[in-house]
Amino acid sequence: MEKKPQFVRREFPPREVSSISLVLLLAAVLLLNALLYLYLNKFYVSSGRAEMDSSFCSFGYFKLGAVKNCSPWLSCEAINREVRKLKCVGEGAVKKAFLSEWKENKVVLSQLTNSEMKEDFLHGLKMLKALQSKHVVRLLGYCEQQFTILTEYHPLGSLRGLNETLHIPKYKGMNTWHRRLMLAIDYVSVIRYLHSSPLGTLVMCDSNDLDKVLSQYLLTSDFHVLVNDLDALPLVNRSAGRLVKCGHRELQGEFVAPEQRWPYGEEVPFEDDLMPPYDEKTDIWKIPDVSNFFLGHVEGSDIVRLHLFDIHAACKKKDPAERPSAQEVLDTYRKVLTLLIREAAMPGTREML
């Protein structure tokens, strides 16, 4: 009897398939890490912008928009002759801001409104001139005699309007945990810059509540954060024993740091002369509250908060000396961004490995 040919199905050993899959997976992870490194490097250096990049000119000069050449800061004469006021766009205790026009460019003309605040106005101008960088609004000119400052215009306005901006159809695509965390990184970068500025360690004193903090910063059209108001920026100099006090009135509330509050209880009336001074760690105390605003309530923001829990707890240490530096907070934020982008790009990678 003739035997029928038998067809034998050949199977690869499971171990061999597993090894091939593992090699491919590891190759994919390495490629992802390389792409992630290139992306984050671009973010931190280009998109995050170097301290002084090609868009900045040497001291005393500026360039605006698509113009390639640097122009000297506008003088009193040039401001009076070439700048046209359009409308008031903001007013604070020190100055009033007008949307204006200069050579077909939208600019902001700020003018002193209270003669008693001349010292604050001139201090803000001094800081604005000395601290020009990627973190600070661009100075275009000034006139000390007329107490006038000309700066670059940013149509999205202050950070107080961030949530409203992100609900505009044009910007809804920006309303993600990723973009919001990058704004928080920008904010902490500004604090880090002020704490290690060319002038020394500066404290952001106009920050007694969240709304006041947000009003000091601008949101640029490419979604970065710039500090705009530098009127209250005292200097800490530990080697000379110089600490600071933010104003001469009693500060209250959980937003300000413990050392900024009157330490002698309600039975002792507040006296400015008895109030102990403090250092830049007051800015660190406020970072978690400001970042919580940035993160909002979008999908993924609670995961970001979870990863930032430890560093934020450290920021809220009662003893200022135990709080991290702005650089340490910034490093942690960047690590969290890197980790979460990697996990979002390849979900389940850890389990597969």
Side-chain angles (χ1 to χ4, degrees):
M1 187 174 179
E2 190 176 332
K3 292 184 178 180
K4 293 182 180 180
Q6 294 181 355
F7 295 94
V8 179
R9 186 172 59 188
R10 186 178 179 186
E11 295 183 356
F12 291 99
R15 183 175 297 176
E16 185 177 349
V17 175
S18 177
S19 299
I20 292 172
S21 299
L22 185 59
V23 169
L24 291 174
L25 179 60
L26 288 173
V29 170
L30 290 173
L31 177 61
L32 174 66
N33 284 337
L35 293 173
L36 185 62
Y37 172 79
L38 292 173
Y39 167 78
L40 291 173
N41 185 62
K42 181 182 178 182
F43 166 63
Y44 294 141
V45 177
S46 319
S47 200
R49 312 185 310 276
E51 294 296 334
M52 296 296 291
D53 60 28
S54 59
S55 68
F56 281 89
C57 305
S58 57
F59 183 82
Y61 291 80
F62 73 94
K63 58 182 174 179
L64 196 60
V67 177
K68 293 183 179 180
N69 297 325
C70 294
S71 303
W73 286 336
L74 300 186
S75 64
C76 297
E77 182 185 358
I79 291 174
N80 292 332
R81 185 180 64 249
E82 301 173 11
V83 177
R84 182 169 65 96
K85 284 198 290 191
L86 301 177
K87 64 176 181 178
C88 179
V89 291
E91 184 174 2
V94 178
K95 53 188 180 288
K96 183 181 289 189
F98 295 89
L99 173 63
S100 305
E101 193 172 53
W102 175 73
K103 294 186 176 179
E104 299 183 352
N105 293 289
K106 294 288 191 298
V107 294
V108 174
L109 187 71
S110 299
Q111 294 181 319
L112 179 71
T113 55
N114 184 348
S115 59
E116 295 180 0
M117 307 299 286
K118 287 181 181 179
E119 189 175 325
D120 295 76
F121 184 92
L122 294 175
H123 177 75
L125 174 58
K126 176 185 175 182
M127 295 293 104
L128 195 54
K129 289 193 288 185
L131 298 176
Q132 285 294 289
S133 71
K134 62 162 183 167
H135 303 292
V136 179
V137 69
R138 192 166 309 187
L139 178 63
L140 310 180
Y142 63 92
C143 180
E144 284 194 37
Q145 298 94 310
Q146 298 173 9
F147 296 97
T148 299
I149 300 173
L150 193 70
T151 53
E152 188 174 16
Y153 173 62
H154 294 280
L156 296 184
S158 80
L159 288 176
R160 284 190 294 192
L162 174 64
N163 289 323
E164 289 75 12
T165 297
L166 288 172
H167 282 96
I168 297 173
K170 179 180 178 181
Y171 299 110
K172 278 189 175 181
M174 297 285 196
N175 196 17
T176 63
W177 69 263
H178 172 248
R179 178 59 64 175
R180 283 175 170 272
L181 178 54
M182 289 202 294
L183 289 174
I185 288 174
D186 266 2
Y187 165 71
V188 177
S189 296
V190 173
I191 299 299
R192 188 278 312 268
Y193 175 66
L194 295 179
H195 289 185
S196 56
S197 83
L199 301 177
T201 302
L202 299 168
V203 181
M204 192 65 178
C205 265
D206 258 346
S207 56
N208 298 335
D209 57 62
L210 179 60
D211 192 64
K212 186 64 174 175
V213 171
L214 298 176
S215 71
Q216 309 302 304
Y217 296 85
L218 295 171
L219 179 65
T220 68
S221 296
D222 60 347
F223 270 70
H224 284 287
V225 173
L226 296 176
V227 63
N228 181 52
D229 196 329
L230 303 173
D231 296 341
L233 211 60
L235 179 69
V236 169
N237 188 338
R238 285 191 184 82
S239 60
R242 183 195 301 167
L243 299 177
V244 304
K245 286 192 286 188
C246 291
H248 304 287
R249 298 179 181 178
E250 182 177 2
L251 301 179
Q252 297 177 327
E254 292 299 315
F255 188 83
V256 297
E259 63 272 22
Q260 292 184 279
R261 301 173 212 152
W262 179 244
Y264 303 117
E266 294 181 1
E267 61 276 6
V268 180
F270 176 82
E271 285 188 42
D272 184 42
D273 291 341
L274 298 179
M275 180 66 198
Y278 33 83
D279 62 18
E280 77 280 4
K281 290 298 183 74
T282 57
D283 289 334
I284 304 299
W285 171 273
K286 297 160 189 172
I287 286 176
D289 299 290
V290 181
S291 289
N292 187 54
F293 167 81
F294 278 121
L295 293 175
H297 300 286
V298 297
E299 182 180 355
S301 62
D302 286 341
I303 299 297
V304 179
R305 287 186 178 89
L306 184 63
H307 281 81
L308 295 176
F309 181 85
D310 288 342
I311 191 67
H312 283 173
C315 291
K316 291 294 188 179
K317 293 279 190 182
K318 188 172 183 180
D319 182 356
E322 294 181 5
R323 295 174 204 153
S325 66
Q327 183 66 61
E328 289 170 322
V329 178
L330 181 59
D331 290 343
T332 301
Y333 274 40
R334 286 174 170 172
K335 287 176 184 175
V336 168
L337 176 63
T338 302
L339 172 66
L340 292 178
I341 290 177
R342 182 185 293 125
E343 290 184 351
M346 288 195 69
T349 301
R350 188 178 302 168
E351 290 78 2
M352 293 171 70
L353 290 172

